[in-house]
Amino acid sequence: MDILKGIKGAPDWLPPDARTFNHVETAFLEAARLGGYERIRTPVFEPTEVFARGVGESTDVVQKEMYTFDDKGGRSITLRPEGTAGVIRAALEAGVPRSGSLPVKWAYAGEFFRYERPQAGRQRQFNQVGIEALGATDPVLDAEVVLLGWEALLRTGLRDLTLRMNTLGDRVDRPAYHERLNAYLDRFADDLPPDVADRRHLNPMRAFDSKAPGVPEIMAGAPLLSDHVSSEAKEFHEEVCRLLEAEGVPLTHDPQLVRGLDYYTRTTFEYQALGLGAQNAVGGGGRYDGLAEDLGWPEPFPGVGWALGIDRTVLALGDQVAPPPRAEVFVVAVDPSLESVAFALVAELRRAGIPADQSFGGRRMKAQLKLADRSGARLAVMLGPDEVARDVVTVRDLATGEQREVARAEVVAAVASG
Ligand code: AMP
């Protein structure tokens, strides 16, 4: 029989990479927590319409990349390709727009699914941490969101980051701009690949996403939305950028940045990690003041947020961060028959909040010390028959080899103080 394999593009995260993964996820969530963003959980699948209407019919995500199937009740279901549409769906269903204390600030973490061509940094199942601030339109809030994302990435230890920013104006600015952009694209009608040509009638801005041969060159001369937004949207954007620059965030203005999802209005941004090659976007986001209405809410309900990719951040970090060790203290039973005595000491250490481990299966002391080294532990606590009889242990510093004897009752205190 063949050994079964997993699905292409759906990676397994195993140690030691899984440790870096957890380190990144924790750093992102910690930045969100410091900003007052409370962790929520929404389902990994939603009615297909949530994404079709939320993310937008013109996008690659909806047209080509969704995992969509009919469930046994004949409903069309889609595995979430991104987080925002589902979070807003949940907020509207819970009546959040009518709650008193806005903005509501939420954070999420989890798995997302896109049927893309798997390559380094691009998978079919990937992981994001995201935040959403719902119910307020204020440049200070946009600046808070962008800054928290920047600091979340720095918190992982990642350096060499850039931040690209743009404004997409308000939806009322769009029809006139779409007309202009379509008039420009008419001049190249014969050179546009079929998917760009088809989509431009739904949303010509999607042409900025296309990397098809010749398209970026055409788009380099295209009229820019940022030149056609209202003065109010422009001032809003300038204030967001001013606040970020005052915090020392080195941002770059990128008037071609539209991002691949239809729901963005005003602020859009992307964090990039230098050295990642083609897939260098580690996260991005923006404001989406029209999304709630797309999902059926009767009046505008604004929001702004980001999603940071865990997988790509892990890739960008490489071995730059030393993930935390599995154990701090490894209890070694000098005589394998003392494994059960070690068990009680390990339990005591763990209860005191000290990550501790021991060996199993009756190994010799030398093999146990090897395991202790591999676990990354700082200290080995050794128990021999003589020590047990005298009610003491030997504490060995695994880096220096230094040893000292400690009374059994004092082990936790001795270990905690180094
Ligand atoms: P998006 O939801 O497209 O705005 O993407 C936000 C972030 O999620 C990106 O910057 C990536 O870090 C990550 N991401 C998106 N799609 C993938 C994918 N297919 N594989 C790995 N990471 C992804």
Side-chain angles (χ1 to χ4, degrees):
M1 243 196 301
D2 289 343
I3 300 172
L4 290 178
K5 293 211 169 97
I7 288 171
K8 193 175 161 201
D12 297 311
W13 283 98
L14 308 175
D17 294 344
R19 265 180 243 154
T20 313
F21 183 109
N22 294 337
H23 157 80
V24 168
E25 185 179 55
T26 306
F28 288 170
L29 284 169
E30 179 60 6
R33 191 187 69 82
L34 290 170
Y37 290 74
E38 259 187 286
R39 176 85 187 265
I40 60 154
R41 286 156 215 272
T42 62
V44 295
F45 52 19
E46 294 276 353
T48 299
E49 228 185 324
V50 169
F51 305 113
R53 277 165 47 185
V55 176
E57 298 278 7
S58 76
T59 61
D60 262 359
V61 169
V62 169
Q63 287 194 355
K64 302 183 193 162
E65 298 172 357
M66 294 206 302
Y67 278 91
T68 298
F69 56 95
D70 285 345
D71 72 5
K72 292 190 198 307
R75 300 168 204 90
S76 181
I77 303 283
T78 293
L79 299 185
R80 59 185 183 188
E82 60 89 59
T84 305
V87 169
I88 306 311
R89 192 272 309 141
L92 300 178
E93 209 170 320
V96 167
R98 305 213 162 111
S99 73
S101 48
L102 297 173
V104 157
K105 293 177 169 190
W106 285 346
Y108 61 83
E111 291 76 21
F112 295 85
F113 308 87
R114 293 183 195 172
Y115 193 77
E116 304 199 73
R117 197 165 58 79
Q119 54 193 288
R122 190 172 286 282
Q123 291 133 20
R124 290 180 173 168
Q125 175 173 317
F126 57 96
N127 297 266
Q128 292 182 339
V129 170
I131 65 169
E132 316 289 357
L134 309 178
T137 305
D138 183 334
V140 181
L141 184 59
D142 293 42
E144 166 179 301
V145 166
V146 180
L147 183 60
L148 280 176
W150 180 258
E151 296 197 334
L153 287 162
L154 290 181
R155 198 168 259 281
T156 66
L158 196 62
R159 296 293 177 264
D160 293 336
L161 285 167
T162 61
L163 167 62
R164 312 181 82 77
M165 292 204 55
N166 191 19
T167 178
L168 296 183
D170 294 305
R171 287 204 174 166
V172 290
D173 303 328
R174 296 282 167 85
Y177 172 68
H178 281 186
E179 216 169 285
R180 260 171 175 272
L181 184 54
N182 265 322
Y184 172 80
L185 290 172
D186 283 343
R187 287 165 38 200
F188 302 94
D190 296 340
D191 305 321
L192 295 174
D195 66 329
V196 174
D198 289 349
R199 258 188 261 186
R200 76 184 177 106
H201 300 293
L202 279 172
N203 181 356
M205 283 160 62
R206 294 275 68 88
F208 284 109
D209 301 333
S210 175
K211 302 283 176 287
V215 178
E217 290 75 9
I218 292 173
M219 297 316 287
L224 296 169
L225 179 50
S226 51
D227 294 334
H228 295 88
V229 303
S230 67
S231 55
E232 199 196 334
K234 209 168 173 175
E235 278 159 29
F236 186 98
H237 183 61
E238 283 163 4
E239 178 64 359
V240 176
C241 294
R242 197 191 63 71
L243 287 164
L244 289 168
E245 279 165 346
E247 287 307 307
V249 181
L251 61 90
T252 313
H253 297 277
D254 180 352
Q256 295 220 350
L257 181 76
V258 294
R259 305 211 13 91
L261 314 169
D262 270 353
Y263 49 59
Y264 289 121
T265 53
R266 296 204 176 188
T267 308
T268 41
F269 55 95
E270 193 162 277
Y271 309 100
Q272 297 182 344
L274 299 176
L276 261 189
Q279 312 304 330
N280 65 356
V282 283
R287 179 163 278 286
Y288 42 81
D289 289 350
L291 176 55
E293 286 164 290
D294 293 340
L295 296 179
W297 196 250
E299 63 245 19
F301 181 60
V304 57
W306 47 245
L308 304 179
I310 298 179
D311 312 64
R312 248 180 240 177
T313 306
V314 171
L315 207 63
L317 278 171
D319 49 17
Q320 276 180 62
V321 287
R326 191 160 59 84
E328 231 173 86
V329 177
F330 203 94
V331 179
V332 173
V334 172
D335 180 328
S337 70
L338 295 175
E339 230 175 52
S340 57
V341 182
F343 172 82
L345 179 52
V346 166
E348 192 181 328
L349 288 161
R350 289 175 182 165
R351 262 180 234 123
I354 299 165
D357 206 353
Q358 71 179 102
S359 129
F360 303 93
R363 291 170 191 260
R364 287 169 190 279
M365 184 171 103
K366 223 170 136 191
Q368 291 187 46
L369 279 170
K370 211 181 251 175
L371 280 180
D373 263 332
R374 275 200 215 136
S375 75
R378 190 166 53 83
L379 300 172
V381 172
M382 304 203 290
L383 291 169
D386 165 59
E387 276 116 335
V388 172
R390 290 192 295 120
D391 223 13
V392 295
V393 300
T394 300
V395 177
R396 179 198 287 218
D397 184 312
L398 285 166
T400 64
E402 255 170 66
Q403 296 196 165
R404 64 194 161 114
E405 208 169 80
V406 173
R408 173 67 182 78
E410 304 295 323
V411 178
V412 169
V415 161
S417 68

